[in-house]
Amino acid sequence: MTGRAVLSRLSLNQRTTASWSLPEAVKGCVDAGLGAIGIWREQLAEVGLHQACRVVAESGLHVSSLCRGGFFTTADPAEAAATEAANREAIEEAASLDAATLVLVAGGLPPGDKDLEAARDRAVGAIERLVPYAHELGVNLGIEPMNPIYAADRGVISTLAQALDIAERFDPADVGVVVDTFHLWWEPGVADQLQRAAERIVSYQICDWITPLPADTLLARGMMGDGHIDFPTFTRSVAAAGYRGDVEVEIFNADLWKAPPTWVVDTMIKRYLDLVQPYLGG
């Protein structure tokens, strides 16, 4: 495999180069020879859905994911209704972009609430209500488990095992799981859970776990190879589960956001070719 073909599965998640607009990120992907882009709804809104679809279609890229839907855990009926409406809109956007998945982040504990199980149950109920509409539009919902450091404020679904317990209630064509190295590298038995996930893996997102953690832990992600994650071993497990989709680099890091985006893309390509691509299998 040579030239652009070796990068055909590599995708740039927009948050990795946060200063780029959607058209700039699309051009950056094309110039670098990548095959896909992961789009964020905020940047999508800046240019409008129609224009975004045109820019992506003309580029020849495909959309590896649309980030993000979810945040389902409110116990307030009015807020829950508004959240459902917003998620239905996200499903429509994912359908228009022909995105491989709409990433769902469950949401954290509502203010003053300490009942994790009840919050997870509300997330399950919200996903269940969205599935028929997603099925109608041909959109796969990808549940993303998040590292436990975010359970309180961002993601009450913390392990791949928990995400699969939910996803397995539905048809794999409708609901899958997002496998993100940052969130799952620590999980005991994760290789077995990846085998269990099999066809339900709808996105493989990569970045590194770096220490010391910054004060804002949302920005704790590092470039592959700068931290503690064993990418060859983790990637072999993802490949052994049968995943043949895109590999999306998603990095929230203040220092990287200050760096020239083209340098960031060049660096992520080099790290991908060294630490990930050789272990993806056929």
Side-chain angles (χ1 to χ4, degrees):
M1 188 179 294
T2 59
R4 288 180 176 257
V6 78
L7 300 178
S8 61
R9 295 178 64 181
L10 182 57
S11 176
L12 171 71
N13 183 287
Q14 278 194 275
R15 296 310 294 166
T16 303
T17 52
S19 64
W20 268 348
S21 67
L22 177 56
E24 289 171 334
V26 166
K27 183 179 185 301
C29 289
V30 171
D31 290 346
L34 309 188
I37 186 169
I39 294 177
W40 274 70
R41 296 188 68 211
E42 289 83 351
Q43 281 79 11
L44 178 64
E46 290 174 359
V47 299
L49 180 60
H50 178 76
Q51 174 71 357
C53 289
R54 185 186 67 80
V55 168
V56 172
E58 291 178 353
S59 73
L61 299 172
H62 59 273
V63 179
S64 54
S65 73
L66 178 63
C67 293
R68 54 193 169 22
F71 291 87
F72 300 121
T73 54
T74 180
D76 179 84
E79 291 179 358
T83 296
E84 182 170 343
N87 275 279
R88 289 171 71 90
E89 182 179 0
I91 289 170
E92 293 164 2
E93 293 169 353
S96 296
L97 290 163
D98 196 22
T101 191
L102 171 63
V103 177
L104 299 183
V105 174
L109 289 170
D113 192 333
K114 298 183 180 181
D115 191 339
L116 272 172
E117 289 301 321
R120 289 181 184 130
D121 287 343
R122 289 193 292 273
V124 172
I127 292 169
E128 187 172 20
R129 290 189 294 275
L130 289 173
V131 165
Y133 192 55
H135 178 84
E136 179 184 339
L137 271 63
V139 172
N140 184 283
L141 304 176
I143 301 171
E144 181 171 21
M146 303 195 78
N147 191 282
I149 63 173
Y150 302 116
D153 65 344
R154 198 162 293 271
V156 296
I157 299 169
S158 300
T159 67
L160 182 55
Q162 288 174 335
L164 286 169
D165 286 345
I166 299 168
E168 287 170 352
R169 304 182 187 201
F170 310 98
D171 189 290
D174 295 328
V175 182
V177 292
V178 176
V179 171
D180 187 318
T181 54
F182 178 82
H183 294 308
L184 299 178
W185 73 281
W186 64 275
E187 183 174 342
V190 70
D192 292 336
Q193 293 301 322
L194 288 167
Q195 283 296 118
R196 172 188 170 192
E199 64 180 326
R200 289 188 184 274
I201 302 175
V202 292
S203 178
Y204 181 33
Q205 296 182 333
I206 60 173
C207 69
D208 217 334
W209 180 277
I210 54 174
T211 52
L213 295 176
D216 184 351
T217 55
L218 183 62
L219 307 183
R221 296 166 176 248
M223 182 65 70
M224 298 81 70
D226 286 353
H228 305 281
I229 297 176
D230 181 350
F231 286 96
T233 298
F234 199 104
T235 300
R236 286 192 189 101
S237 292
V238 172
Y243 183 71
R244 297 294 182 267
D246 298 308
V247 181
E248 185 177 299
V249 178
E250 182 185 50
I251 306 176
F252 292 67
N253 183 292
D255 291 333
L256 282 180
W257 288 348
K258 295 174 185 176
T262 52
W263 177 87
V264 174
V265 172
D266 288 345
T267 302
M268 84 175 201
I269 288 173
K270 292 174 184 176
R271 302 294 179 87
Y272 168 78
L273 292 175
D274 184 32
L275 297 171
V276 179
Q277 193 276 334
Y279 309 98
L280 285 170

